[in-house]
Amino acid sequence: MTHAKRFGWPALVLVVVLIAALPLPDFWITQLNYIALYSLVGLGLVLLTGVAGLTSFGQAAFVGMGAYATAWLTLNTGLSPWLTLFIGLAITGVSALIVAAITLRMSGHYLPLATIAWGLSLYYLMGNLDALGKYDGLLGIQGLSVMGWEVGQGRGFFLLAWSVVLLAALAILRLLDSRAGRAMRSLRTGTQMAEAMGVDTLRYKIIIFVIAALLASISGWLFAHFQRSINPSPFGLKMGIEYLFMTVVGGVGHVWGAVTGALLTKLMEDQLQVLLPRLIGTSGSFETIVFGIVLVLTLKFLLNGLWSLVERRLPRTPRRLDWPGVAPLSERAKPAKGELVLDVQAIRKQFGGLVAVNDVSFQIKAGQIVGLIGPNGAGKSTTFNLITGVAALSSGRVVFCGAAISGLKSREIAARGMSRTFQHVKMISDMTVLENVALGAHLRGAKGVASAMAGLNREEERQLFAQAQAQLERIGMGAYLHEQAGNLAMGPQRLMEIARALCSDPALLLLDEPAAGLRHKEKQALADVLRQLQSEGMSILLVEHDMDLVMDVCDHLVVMEFGTRLTQGTPEEIQQNPKVRAAYLGTEH
Ligand code: ADP
Ligand code: MG
């Protein structure tokens, strides 16, 4: 992601300062102040919905938390607003953590429903507590001042609010272009690929939820000291829906989409409130209907929001390869050639009455390419899932590099040096090949969200990218570094997945039907890569349908049928085996 660089921060700061200096009517400054407050909430939704694919209708409640916390505290304790900001953030952070920990474990529609419930209950809480002034709210909140200078409600507040927006945008852009950010961006593909790369997906979802809540809370803090009075209505469910609304229209996938959405919504609202009564002849909240139509049209014709129209026209500058000479990442000790890498001992998987994998055993020695073959439904994929920790064993044991890994989560198995690709390629289509592959090195880095936001992760980023580039070049993909992953043909996509898996410095590489969907030339290229990796000492388990490829590259074959191991041996032995010919080759040819 290179938005940050190509947009030019000095230019943005200049625009903000210029607007403050220009003799604009106060009305416009006020509107821009509201737009800044909305943008902050929208930035959180970009992370939550755009990046992680999580939907929240409850952001307004977090705005309310920040607002009520500072309002009540400054009115009742006399603490400085700059202190109550952090108290509000702490309250919001803890609440968000609890909501997230409860709801994010559950899948599907649970989160949106939970955020609705959260938004509703907080609204009624604010409206019913005597201490918070019930539905009348709290009045007489002080304005902000910075080192004795009154921020006020005009240009001073404008400068403060937009500085906060720009800082937040910068922090999020830095985050998205980092080790943690790549992990976050992988969440939209589901959790399987991310976990296989060693990402703790639940943890990242919780972090994202909390960051979004904190941004909303800051917006609420600013709002309370800007308005000087608050009541529950701007923090209700309706506003929660509107925040999501404006961000989706602006472009929930982009940081600047949040600002675009806030800007357009506010401007449209103002215009419509004047225009519609004149057109229709009566007053009422007709603008809501127009908003609804705009949302539907946006979703239909411009799924990525209005900002995507601008984004398309911005020049793309490829990432600067500024890592020559960087210290290489440390490598794990791997088994010597011929040592046992994987020992699959009578593993079994039952789905109800169906025995999908029936006490299957086999071994892989370091430097071997072992093929797992069998007709459709034989249990290959299930075997693969049992080894990689995606599915739980019914019985049996898997020993990897001398240690039992049965029962471990797939990311824990990944951490021990097993890395995989997917039958259906799983990638982050809007990232470059280099960035996708860098995700594979996730476990070899350590820098988290805070260091990314503060820009303290540069050295490690260079190391991760150097590794990604090296692995891509290793398998002949050096020409594709800056290519958008989603634009690749199937062959290069599959090679990209292999490079990504190699980035984790695996002791064993598991490939799930890597030749599926490849053309003849691409299959040959794949076979060359596999042979080369083997010559470099890599151990590989290959689940594959393509018999030519399997016979060509494998040292040893395990044949499955109806969940059972039919036989095993060298490709020559398997080709001669009458049982195999009957069960498998006979049905295929
Ligand atoms: P292969 O990859 O060799 O084609 P699979 O491992 O996908 O075979 O499937 C083996 C058997 O297990 C099939 O009969 C399949 O229908 C069944 N199976 C696979 N996954 C599940 C599941 N999650 N629930 C129930 N049955 C399953
Ligand atoms: Mg399969």
Side-chain angles (χ1 to χ4, degrees), residues 13 128 132 260 500 545:
V13 172
N128 282 299
L132 300 183
T260 310
R500 186 178 65 197
H545 246 88

Side-chain angles (χ1 to χ4, degrees), residues 99-152:
V99 174
I102 296 171
T103 57
L104 288 174
R105 270 173 221 286
M106 300 176 212
S107 57
H109 304 305
Y110 201 83
L111 180 72
L113 289 180
T115 58
I116 289 174
W118 163 251
L120 282 176
S121 48
L122 216 74
Y123 174 76
Y124 288 110
L125 185 71
M126 292 184 278
N128 282 299
L129 281 182
D130 279 324
L132 300 183
K134 298 199 161 182
Y135 288 99
D136 296 329
L138 299 172
L139 309 173
I141 303 162
Q142 68 191 85
L144 295 171
S145 58
V146 180
M147 292 184 283
W149 168 69
E150 291 285 329
V151 170

Side-chain angles (χ1 to χ4, degrees), residues 180-220:
R182 288 185 290 277
M184 291 172 171
R185 296 172 77 184
S186 73
L187 295 173
R188 239 182 336 173
T189 67
T191 56
Q192 225 191 72
M193 184 270 278
E195 291 276 332
M197 298 302 130
V199 174
D200 186 343
T201 53
L202 179 63
R203 184 168 163 269
Y204 276 105
K205 283 182 186 173
I206 292 176
I207 291 175
I208 286 175
F209 194 81
V210 171
I211 294 175
L214 293 179
L215 286 168
S217 181
I218 295 174
S219 174

Side-chain angles (χ1 to χ4, degrees), residues 397-476:
R397 223 163 82 97
V398 181
V399 178
F400 176 55
C401 293
I405 55 165
S406 330
L408 294 185
K409 296 189 178 76
S410 68
R411 66 166 184 276
E412 295 165 337
I413 295 176
R416 288 166 179 240
M418 196 190 284
S419 199
R420 64 169 293 185
T421 65
F422 293 85
Q423 185 173 343
H424 304 285
V425 174
K426 292 186 198 290
M427 60 185 175
I428 309 165
S429 335
D430 63 352
M431 282 194 338
T432 66
V433 170
L434 187 68
E435 291 161 344
N436 267 280
V437 172
L439 175 65
H442 183 80
L443 286 168
R444 300 172 78 182
K447 296 279 187 230
V449 172
S451 17
M453 285 183 161
L456 300 175
N457 59 344
R458 304 264 157 79
E459 187 63 13
E460 185 183 276
E461 282 292 294
R462 282 191 200 104
Q463 291 181 305
L464 298 179
F465 278 116
Q467 173 65 206
Q469 184 182 2
Q471 295 302 348
L472 279 162
E473 283 169 352
R474 179 179 181 187
I475 62 168

Side-chain angles (χ1 to χ4, degrees), residues 71-88:
W72 191 89
L73 284 167
T74 50
L75 287 171
N76 290 284
T77 66
L79 287 174
S80 148
W82 294 99
L83 207 65
T84 57
L85 165 64
F86 292 98
I87 301 176

